Amino acid sequence: MDPGFEAGFREFVVARSGALFRTAYLLTGDRHAAEDLVQSALAKTAARWRGLRDPAAVEGYVRRAMYHEQVSWWRRRSRITEVSTEQPPDRVGDGHAETADLRLVMRTALARLTPRQRTVLVLRYFEDLSETEIARLLGIGVGSVRSQIHRSLERLRKAAPELDGVREMR
């Protein structure tokens, strides 16, 4: 990679690695697997760096690479872990059902939010943007961002009181 392109790539990695790691963690659910996923996606991006002219396309390319890599890993693991036995496998524990129930409750509660409230929550807590950055991005005031965050969290608490126990689990 020539020095000009290398500097641009290094700048991208420094600026976006935190957000990419959070996305990878949401995909994998494991810190170490998320680090591996980000590294794999960045290696693929570095190989294609010259062809990625639009800066906005770079992040999309990396995120798509992470998604496809995670799906490939998942498919490989699912094929490898299947082993036929004489005895049927143990049943999935109660923790699995509770997790599935929690996801369903969370999905339902999020669906009840307005599109702007969901957008503000995603930008704040998943993309880790500041309130000022969100306001600039959405073209609204910082006070509006704060009130949207407050209202959406309030609505989530009312719609899904079961989620209050999630804080205790962490």
Side-chain angles (χ1 to χ4, degrees), residues 73-144:
W73 287 351
W74 175 79
R75 286 181 178 154
R76 280 191 299 260
R77 276 194 311 252
S78 67
R79 273 187 260 147
I80 292 170
T81 59
E82 291 181 9
V83 177
S84 62
T85 61
E86 290 182 26
Q87 298 286 335
D90 294 336
R91 296 180 61 184
V92 177
D94 291 333
H96 178 71
E98 291 172 7
T99 303
D101 289 344
L102 183 62
R103 286 182 186 163
L104 183 60
V105 167
M106 186 65 171
R107 181 173 289 155
T108 303
L110 286 170
R112 292 182 182 155
L113 296 177
T114 65
R116 177 163 283 178
Q117 287 174 332
R118 281 193 305 268
T119 302
V120 169
L121 282 180
V122 166
L123 291 174
R124 181 69 181 113
Y125 296 108
F126 290 112
E127 293 298 323
D128 201 28
L129 297 179
S130 70
E131 292 168 345
T132 307
E133 291 171 318
I134 296 169
R136 182 183 45 77
L137 189 65
L138 298 178
I140 60 177
V142 175
S144 295

Side-chain angles (χ1 to χ4, degrees), residues 138-158:
L138 298 178
I140 60 177
V142 175
S144 295
V145 171
R146 287 182 183 145
S147 79
Q148 289 292 328
I149 290 172
H150 177 75
R151 285 187 190 135
S152 58
L153 292 176
E154 223 173 59
R155 286 183 77 179
L156 282 176
R157 284 186 196 105
K158 287 179 185 173

Side-chain angles (χ1 to χ4, degrees), residues 11-29:
E11 195 174 296
F12 170 77
V13 170
V14 168
R16 299 303 300 158
S17 61
L20 292 173
F21 177 77
R22 283 187 295 281
T23 301
Y25 183 78
L26 291 173
L27 285 171
T28 63

Side-chain angles (χ1 to χ4, degrees), residues 1 3-16 49:
M1 192 182 286
F5 286 108
E6 187 176 330
F9 180 72
R10 185 174 292 134
E11 195 174 296
F12 170 77
V13 170
V14 168
R16 299 303 300 158
W49 189 252

